[in-house]
């Protein structure tokens, strides 16, 4: 916990280090963070923000918010040209920038390494059962250890890149949403009650609300809010809908850091299918077709049930 104490040990400082300033080993094993961790362990509650490494210029909240707003404005312009509704998810995808390449490459490498481990274990078991050559067993063990280490390194670096960008998305979205009421005119603000204004900027609702509602209205303009207030008032007895900007920005922080796991799913399906096809032959294709037919979408299953009931009648 960062404290605000004024002890004498607080005067200690740490040289600002970032991953970009470290060497290959520093970046590979996150050694650039060790001095800060050591200082935090030494100072304990006396650790303050003055002891922490400085943020890079492109990671400062104002720069992050401006970058996200620029992507959102580009998405709005593209949506107007194509004649479709603007979507916040497209702006966020463009906001990730080079991290997208990191996601796809790391997900592929992690999948290959994780699948290689059981294949090497199969060779090791084969050597043990058949009393095979010693060097084959040792090579299998070395390969397993190497795959585990490399998979851990790839996973941690992918997590670091995606979690950093997820924090940037959370900062940008929260800043834009909380800045929106500040741009409302006094006449528009007079139409809101205090409770409605609090609900307008709170970020504790469902994340789906953000994708389905906020992206339909400019984050920096109050036009949609005034239009909503111009609608007829509802009866007090009827439940009111959540405000348009009542969203869960925290969902982007929680889910965004694990995007590379979702990106690994198609690779896992393709590589596993190729291995099974190699081991089982055409029988695997038949089994896959049967599995796909049995796992029909819910709508198709409901339609089949309705047709079966209609035939019984």
């Amino acid at each position: 916990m960062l404290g605000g104490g004024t002890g004498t040990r607080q005067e200690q400082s740490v040289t600002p280090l970032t991953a970009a300033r470290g060497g290959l080993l520093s970046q590979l094993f996150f050694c650039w963070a060790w001095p800060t961790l050591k200082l935090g362990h030494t100072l304990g509650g006396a650790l303050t923000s003055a002891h922490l490494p400085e943020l890079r210029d492109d990671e400062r909240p104002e720069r992050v918010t401006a970058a996200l707003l620029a992507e959102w404005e580009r998405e709005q312009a593209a949506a107007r040209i194509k004649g479709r509704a603007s979507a916040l998810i497209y702006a966020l995808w463009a906001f990730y920038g080079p991290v997208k390449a990191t996601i796809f490459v790391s997900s592929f490498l992690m999948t290959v390494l994780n699948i290689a481990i059981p294949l090497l274990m199969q060779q090791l078991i084969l050597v043990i059962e058949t009393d095979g050559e010693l060097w084959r067993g040792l090579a299998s063990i070395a390969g397993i250890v190497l795959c585990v280490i490399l998979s851990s390194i790839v996973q941690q670096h992918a997590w670091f890149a995606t979690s950093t960008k997820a924090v940037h998305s959370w900062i940008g979205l929260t800043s834009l949403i909380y800045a929106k009421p500040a741009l409302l005119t006094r006449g528009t603000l007079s139409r809101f009650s205090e409770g409605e204004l609090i609900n307008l900027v709170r970020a504790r609702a469902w994340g789906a609300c953000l994708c389905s509602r906020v992206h339909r209205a400019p984050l920096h303009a109050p036009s949609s809010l005034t239009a909503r207030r111009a609608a007829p008032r509802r009866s007090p007895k009827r439940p009111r809908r959540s405000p348009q900007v009542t969203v869960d920005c925290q969902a982007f922080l929680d889910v965004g850091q694990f995007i590379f796991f979702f990106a690994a799913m198609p690779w896992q399906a393709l590589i596993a299918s190729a291995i099974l096809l190699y081991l089982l032959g055409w029988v695997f294709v038949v089994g896959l077709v049967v599995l796909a037919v049995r796992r029909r979408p819910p709508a198709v299953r409901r339609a089949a049930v309705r047709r079966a009931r209609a035939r019984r009648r």
Side-chain angles (χ1 to χ4, degrees):
M1 180 68 69
L2 299 183
T6 57
T8 56
R9 303 171 72 182
Q10 182 178 345
E11 299 177 357
Q12 303 182 30
S13 62
V14 61
T15 303
L17 297 173
T18 62
R21 297 182 184 180
L24 177 61
L25 292 178
S26 177
Q27 296 185 47
L28 193 61
F29 297 103
F30 299 98
C31 299
W32 49 270
W34 292 359
T36 304
L37 296 176
K38 182 179 179 181
L39 187 64
H41 177 72
T42 303
L43 297 180
L47 183 70
T48 65
S49 59
H51 298 103
L52 300 179
E54 297 179 355
L55 288 174
R56 295 184 308 191
D57 187 58
D58 59 337
E59 292 184 343
R60 296 188 177 279
E62 58 272 15
R63 296 290 298 274
V64 170
T65 304
L68 179 57
L69 181 59
E71 294 294 346
W72 173 240
E73 291 174 344
R74 278 193 284 268
E75 164 59 20
Q76 286 185 303
R80 284 194 295 267
I81 294 174
K82 297 179 180 179
R84 60 171 176 82
S86 55
L88 179 60
I89 193 65
Y90 293 153
L92 284 171
W93 183 245
F95 177 70
Y96 267 65
V99 177
K100 292 182 287 187
T102 303
I103 292 173
F104 287 113
V105 173
S106 61
S107 61
F108 176 76
L109 291 177
M110 185 179 65
T111 302
V112 171
L113 293 170
N114 288 336
I115 291 180
I117 294 174
L119 296 179
L120 291 172
M121 293 180 64
Q122 181 185 19
Q123 295 299 319
L124 179 60
I125 295 173
L126 184 63
V127 170
I128 296 174
E129 290 179 346
T130 60
D131 197 16
E133 298 178 353
L134 179 61
W135 69 269
R136 291 184 180 274
L138 294 177
S140 300
I141 295 174
I144 293 172
V145 173
L146 183 62
C147 287
V148 171
I149 294 175
L150 292 179
S151 177
S152 177
I153 292 175
V154 170
Q155 180 176 330
Q156 292 301 320
H157 277 272
W159 179 86
F160 177 74
T162 53
S163 61
T164 301
K165 210 62 182 179
V167 171
H168 291 172
S169 301
W170 175 71
I171 291 174
L173 288 171
T174 304
S175 300
L176 291 174
I177 290 173
Y178 273 79
K180 192 170 184 177
L183 301 177
L184 298 176
T185 63
R186 181 174 298 180
T188 303
L189 287 174
S190 63
R191 303 176 185 176
F192 289 87
S193 66
E194 183 179 356
E196 288 176 324
L197 189 60
I198 293 175
N199 288 335
L200 179 69
V201 297
R202 71 184 179 93
R204 296 305 304 164
W206 295 104
C209 189
L210 178 63
C211 297
S212 61
R213 296 181 182 178
V214 176
H215 71 271
R216 305 269 180 199
L219 293 175
H220 58 284
S223 57
S224 64
L225 302 179
T226 56
R228 187 178 67 85
R229 288 300 298 170
R233 288 182 174 271
R234 297 187 175 196
S235 172
K237 296 181 180 180
R238 297 179 60 184
R240 300 181 59 89
R241 294 176 60 186
S242 299
Q244 187 174 13
V245 198
T246 303
V247 298
D248 190 4
C249 296
Q250 187 72 23
F252 286 91
L253 181 62
D254 297 336
V255 178
Q257 55 187 327
F258 298 108
I259 288 181
F260 67 96
F261 278 121
F262 297 103
M265 293 179 182
W267 296 119
Q268 294 173 359
L270 289 174
I271 297 177
S273 299
I275 294 175
L276 290 174
L277 182 62
Y278 172 75
L279 295 176
L280 302 178
W282 63 270
V283 179
F284 165 73
V285 179
V286 176
L288 184 62
V289 171
V290 172
L291 180 64
V293 171
R294 290 179 60 85
R295 297 293 298 178
R296 290 174 296 178
V300 176
R301 291 200 299 269
R302 288 194 295 267
V305 171
R306 286 195 296 267
R307 288 194 299 269
R309 291 176 178 174
R311 284 195 297 267
R312 292 196 199 102
R313 295 175 184 173

